[in-house]
Amino acid sequence: MREKQDRDLTDVYADGKKYIQNRLEYAELNILNKTTRVFANVLTEVAIVIFFLLAFLFGSITLGFFLSNQFESQTLGFGAVAGLYVVLAIIVYLTKDKHIERVVIDRIIKKYYEAEEENK
């Protein structure tokens, strides 16, 4: 009887140990899954930003040359592009608290909850 009870306790201990190991492995895999999703998302977003910035840069240069031809002065053409960016920067600065930050925060929260829904 005592031997059977010791064997039962040993089995319970072994099962408990295996359960804890399985839970730890599950947690590690879950963390790895979330980390790789975040890394892939960040990498994709960085690539998109880089391509957007390159398109913006070459578009700005093209606009500068176009306006230079229209004004028949490179100084005026590229100065007009610079002036346009100053005006846009002032508009962004004045509206960032009310409009831009809210949109960015809402987008980040939406992406977070979408990722959480995918993990369920």
Side-chain angles (χ1 to χ4, degrees):
M1 177 77 172
R2 177 85 173 147
E3 185 178 303
K4 182 176 177 4
Q5 193 175 25
D6 287 343
R7 192 167 30 106
D8 288 342
L9 287 176
T10 304
D11 289 344
V12 169
Y13 175 76
D15 288 344
K17 186 176 178 182
K18 184 157 180 91
Y19 174 77
I20 291 172
Q21 287 173 342
N22 287 341
R23 292 292 292 176
L24 288 174
E25 185 177 339
Y26 174 77
E28 288 174 5
L29 291 173
N30 196 19
I31 290 170
L32 179 65
N33 183 28
K34 287 183 181 184
T35 303
T36 54
R37 283 181 189 260
V38 168
F39 181 72
N41 191 17
V42 167
L43 192 63
T44 305
E45 295 284 335
V46 166
I48 290 169
V49 167
I50 287 172
F51 290 134
F52 179 74
L53 287 175
L54 286 172
F56 185 75
L57 173 69
F58 287 115
S60 297
I61 292 170
T62 303
L63 181 61
F65 281 121
F66 174 76
L67 291 177
S68 294
N69 284 336
Q70 296 299 315
F71 295 140
E72 297 179 357
S73 167
Q74 283 190 348
T75 306
L76 286 177
F78 283 94
V81 172
L84 175 67
Y85 291 144
V86 168
V87 169
L88 288 174
I90 291 170
I91 291 170
V92 167
Y93 177 75
L94 293 175
T95 60
K96 71 178 173 70
D97 292 333
K98 193 172 188 179
H99 300 288
I100 296 171
E101 286 180 356
R102 181 175 297 147
V103 170
V104 171
I105 290 170
D106 289 345
R107 182 173 175 190
I108 291 170
I109 290 171
K110 182 179 176 184
K111 280 191 167 239
Y112 173 78
Y113 281 114
E114 285 174 356
E116 286 295 315
E117 286 296 318
E118 286 179 9
N119 287 333
K120 289 184 178 180

